[in-house]
């Protein structure tokens, strides 16, 4: 469906309307661009990756090479629900604007192509190289639908393919699978890194309730090293899509190993979710930090507490000079992903995020912030150092710029033992409520009135919660807003909540309320402008 851009001349009352702060009321005529779109396109994100058509789930095989970030993804090119899986492919120079390329891997007689990873085999350990180009090697799960239909349990195995043209075309290894199924029903989603410290290729592989680690000298021959996880963390579902890598603890020389572990169902707020563990790895075994041994089901080590960030993993081959750990997840939840109200395409990815590891009190925590590349597109449209609010304030009004491609930031200093509620709304009466309850030390998102919700009872049936781990008396809030998603980064990335929504019209108003008088600091609204980017930011 094509987008028709229309320019509407709107009479705007000031740049900003704040009910408790009525200065600055300048009547002026301003041209505001509104993207008029129809059909499914009203829900298509402005800057989150979506496939042009059909079904997508997990991000796969993310690698960086020669200035390009590659993203592959679980893809069914013939329908808008999950089906025989392929690897779709997209590339980007900045992880913000994406170009979708032809399908990279297709199912064959060994089965569907399930989730996995890709590495650049710089030293040609696999021998797939031609002497000049280092091969890119993809490691994925074959899911054999015939075996499944026959009621067998050994229908998932691990396989490899290589590319000598930077991921455009792939050749499957003739001796696949490289890891046969050892009679484990859920045996999938290999994530491989080059383990520099122990000079080996290292694979994390998810099985029902634990993670298996394998080592290899050449990506073809794999040896089982150890397993981890049976007795700690959330287990109300199947463990899937792991990621395992070393990270330097911020402000120290200490190196710790991080295991990112998705599971479905059993997420913090139901359905799909991603927990993590931090510890030490000696080249064979992962020993989790004592603070994360025997974690209960409802613990507080989750990458994101919102309902819509699943199967996320990190990019491989990021140059050492960059050194970032860059993460992206699937912005949906298996509870309702196949029923969301889009017909021609389904699902988006989160924005790319930079992970950091911090020692906080007696434990280690992963923090996430938006990858800085998004800043390239920022245009500041509002800034205010300090605002005194008496019970409520509308911060971006009806006539305000487009809140469906924006970053909003603010701080609440001197938190009181009460509720702080934010709301995004439109003229249709749709509103998304979210905020912080300081007496309960909990963040929340309530999608009940957010727009179209009746496609599945699980979508808005319950409020999502997140425990606050920071003890600061100032709360910092950063929101990344697209047409159909919010990504909330609280306390400088300590607690995240990502959720999707389907308003009948884009949200145009942002407001805040609490009890009595309270102060907001450092309010900033930035709009993302993709007009000058190569791909126009529209995926
Ligand atoms: C996670 C997952 C993976 C699997 C893939 C199939 O969302 O279930 O475990 O490889 O999706 O599409």
């Amino acid at each position: 469906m094509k987008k028709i851009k229309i320019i509407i001349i709107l009479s705007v009352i000031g740049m900003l309307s704040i009910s408790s702060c009525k200065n600055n009321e300048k009547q002026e005529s301003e041209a505001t661009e509104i993207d008029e779109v129809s059909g499914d396109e009203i829900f298509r994100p402005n800057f989150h990756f979506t496939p042009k058509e059909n079904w997508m789930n997990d991000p796969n095989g993310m690698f960086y090479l020669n200035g390009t970030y590659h993203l592959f993804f679980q893809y069914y090119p013939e329908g808008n629900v999950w089906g025989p899986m392929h690897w779709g492919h997209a590339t980007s120079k900045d992880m913000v604007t994406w170009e979708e390329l032809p399908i990279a891997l297709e199912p064959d007689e060994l089965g569907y192509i399930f989730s996995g990873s890709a590495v650049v085999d710089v030293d040609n350990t696999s021998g797939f190289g031609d002497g000049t180009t280092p091969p890119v090697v993809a490691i994925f799960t074959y899911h054999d639908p015939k075996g499944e239909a026959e009621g067998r349990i050994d229908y998932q195995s691990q396989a490899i393919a290589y590319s000598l043209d930077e991921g455009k075309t792939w050749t499957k290894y003739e001796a696949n699978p490289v890891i046969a199924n050892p009679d484990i029903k859920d045996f999938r989603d290999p994530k491989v890194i080059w383990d520099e410290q122990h000079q080996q290729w290292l694979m994390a592989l998810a099985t029902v309730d634990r993670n298996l680690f394998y080592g290899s000298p050449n990506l073809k021959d794999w040896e089982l090293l150890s397993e981890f996880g049976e007795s700690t963390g959330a287990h109300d579902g199947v463990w899937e899509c792991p990621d395992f890598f070393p990270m330097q603890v911020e402000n120290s020389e200490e190196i710790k190993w991080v295991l990112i572990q998705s599971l479905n169902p059993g997420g913090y707020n139901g359905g799909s979710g991603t927990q993590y563990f931090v510890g030490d790895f000696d080249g064979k075994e992962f020993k989790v930090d004592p603070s994360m041994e025997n974690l209960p089901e409802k613990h507080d080590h989750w990458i994101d507490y919102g309902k819509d960030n699943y199967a996320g993993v990190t990019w491989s081959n990021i140059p050492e000079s960059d050194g970032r750990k860059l993460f992206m997840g699937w912005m949906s939840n298996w509870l309702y992903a196949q029923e969301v109200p889009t017909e021609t395409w389904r699902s988006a990815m989160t924005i790319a995020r930079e992970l950091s590891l911090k020692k906080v009190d007696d434990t280690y925590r992963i923090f996430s912030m938006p990858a800085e590349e998004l800043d390239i597109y920022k245009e500041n449209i509002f800034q205010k150092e300090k605002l005194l609010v008496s019970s409520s304030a509308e911060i971006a009004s009806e006539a305000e710029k487009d809140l469906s491609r924006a970053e909003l930031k603010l701080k609440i200093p001197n938190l009181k033992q009460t509720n702080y509620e934010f709301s995004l709304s439109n003229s249709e009466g749709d509103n998304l409520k979210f905020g912080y309850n300081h007496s309960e030390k909990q963040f929340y998102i309530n999608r009940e009135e957010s727009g179209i919700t009746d496609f599945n009872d699980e979508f808005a049936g319950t409020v999502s919660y997140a425990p606050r781990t920071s003890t600061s008396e100032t709360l910092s809030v950063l929101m990344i807003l697209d047409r159909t998603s919010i990504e909330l980064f609280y306390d400088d990335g300590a607690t995240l909540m990502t959720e999707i929504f389907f308003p009948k019209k884009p949200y145009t108003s942002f407001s805040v309320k609490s009890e009595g008088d309270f102060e907001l600091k450092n309010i900033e609204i930035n709009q993302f402008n993709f007009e000058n980017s190569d791909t126009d930011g529209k995926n």
Side-chain angles (χ1 to χ4, degrees), residues 33-288:
E33 267 198 3
I34 295 192
D35 283 336
E36 186 165 277
V37 288
S38 51
D40 269 8
E41 298 304 302
I42 63 165
F43 298 135
R44 170 104 58 191
N46 279 312
F47 60 97
H48 286 76
F49 177 74
T50 53
K52 282 195 182 69
E53 291 181 324
N54 296 314
W55 169 264
M56 171 178 84
N57 55 288
D58 316 354
N60 294 152
M62 288 152 35
F63 73 91
Y64 172 86
L65 188 60
N66 298 332
T68 300
Y69 294 89
H70 292 259
L71 165 68
F72 298 85
F73 48 91
Q74 287 287 279
Y75 188 50
Y76 180 44
E78 275 152 48
N80 65 4
V81 291
W82 190 91
M85 283 289 114
H86 299 55
W87 274 24
H89 187 196
T91 55
S92 172
K93 295 287 176 203
D94 55 18
M95 298 173 290
V96 181
T97 57
W98 292 94
E99 185 186 352
E100 192 173 339
L101 301 177
I103 287 172
L105 289 169
E106 301 194 3
D108 56 46
E109 65 287 352
L110 292 181
Y112 304 161
I113 315 291
F114 269 24
S115 286
S117 49
V119 292
V120 180
D121 183 12
V122 180
D123 294 329
N124 195 22
T125 60
S126 61
F128 291 139
D130 58 8
T132 51
T133 325
V136 182
V137 179
I139 310 95
F140 57 89
T141 298
Y142 265 125
H143 172 100
D144 172 16
K146 292 192 291 310
E148 186 181 23
E150 286 162 11
R152 298 208 316 259
I153 60 166
D154 61 352
Y155 53 83
Q156 293 182 340
S157 59
Q158 316 318 318
I160 56 179
Y162 64 92
S163 169
L164 297 178
D165 57 6
E166 301 192 6
K168 281 191 211 71
T169 59
W170 295 83
T171 307
K172 288 171 185 147
Y173 180 42
E174 71 278 359
N176 275 336
V178 290
I179 304 180
N181 188 294
D183 273 335
I184 300 178
K185 184 160 170 283
D186 296 292
F187 182 69
R188 57 178 178 262
D189 309 337
K191 179 70 165 77
V192 174
I193 61 158
W194 172 249
D195 171 9
E196 180 65 30
Q197 193 186 349
H198 310 102
Q199 294 289 300
Q200 61 180 340
W201 292 107
L202 179 62
M203 177 194 292
L205 185 76
T207 67
V208 189
D209 59 351
R210 69 196 73 181
N211 194 83
L212 306 185
F213 298 109
Y214 289 83
S216 170
N218 56 11
L219 296 161
K220 294 171 173 165
D221 305 303
W222 292 92
E223 181 200 354
L224 179 63
L225 302 173
S226 61
E227 56 179 58
F228 166 82
E230 191 198 358
S231 58
T232 186
H235 280 95
D236 269 356
V238 174
W239 281 26
E240 303 182 318
C241 299
D243 196 356
F244 187 53
F245 48 82
M247 267 185 111
Q248 186 160 350
V249 180
E250 208 172 88
N251 301 322
S252 90
E253 294 296 302
E254 197 179 19
I255 303 286
K256 286 280 169 190
W257 283 73
V258 174
L259 175 66
I260 291 180
Q261 187 64 65
S262 287
L263 90 158
N264 178 68
Y268 193 88
N269 282 295
S272 319
T274 305
Q275 57 188 334
Y276 66 87
F277 306 95
V278 181
D280 297 304
F281 181 66
D282 62 6
K284 268 187 178 296
E285 267 181 64
F286 177 55
K287 284 236 175 328
V288 75

